[in-house]
Amino acid sequence: MTQSTDLDPEDRKIITLARSARARNGVSEGAAVRDETGRTYVAGTVELESLKLSALQTAVAMAVASGAKSLEAAAVVSEADAAAEGDRAAVRDLGGPKTPVLLAGPDGTLKSAVAAG
């Protein structure tokens, strides 16, 4: 298992941002994505009566709404053991099948790094 300290600094940054979103908002997941220009978008889980989005889906939606054309990488911080298919699909829709999706635990330790496709 790779420690988050072994990651590229930009990937470590989006894991840190995702951890912060999770903690700050008191939600089950935090996520961050980096677009083709290096801008980052950070989000937490959305759980409204009429709208439910994972943190990563929300971060991707924020990137799209802000004009991002592609993604370089995505990160989600969660208790889960694997990145959800819906999360990978959202990343794939904007970034393509080779976009890395990093899954880290609440302590920032990288659990997995998989391609969105």
Side-chain angles (χ1 to χ4, degrees):
M1 182 118 8
T2 304
Q3 296 296 314
S4 61
T5 55
D6 297 334
L7 291 171
D8 172 272
E10 292 300 313
D11 290 344
R12 189 170 44 248
K13 175 183 171 184
I14 61 173
I15 289 174
T16 299
L17 290 169
R19 283 184 73 207
S20 296
R22 181 179 184 270
R24 179 179 56 252
N25 297 323
V27 291
S28 59
E29 293 181 341
V33 297
R34 184 176 61 249
D35 74 8
E36 76 283 0
T37 68
R39 290 180 299 180
T40 56
Y41 306 88
V42 181
T45 309
V46 174
E47 291 189 30
L48 301 174
E49 190 171 319
S50 63
L51 177 65
K52 297 196 185 311
L53 294 172
S54 72
L56 196 47
Q57 291 169 333
T58 305
V60 170
M62 291 172 64
V64 171
S66 297
K69 303 296 183 211
S70 185
L71 294 178
E72 291 181 349
V76 62
V77 171
S78 174
E79 296 281 354
D81 293 326
E85 175 52 36
D87 286 350
R88 290 177 38 235
V91 171
R92 185 172 54 245
D93 285 349
L94 185 57
K98 294 183 180 178
T99 307
V101 178
L102 310 172
L103 173 66
D107 65 354
T109 299
L110 186 66
K111 294 181 181 184
S112 68
V114 298

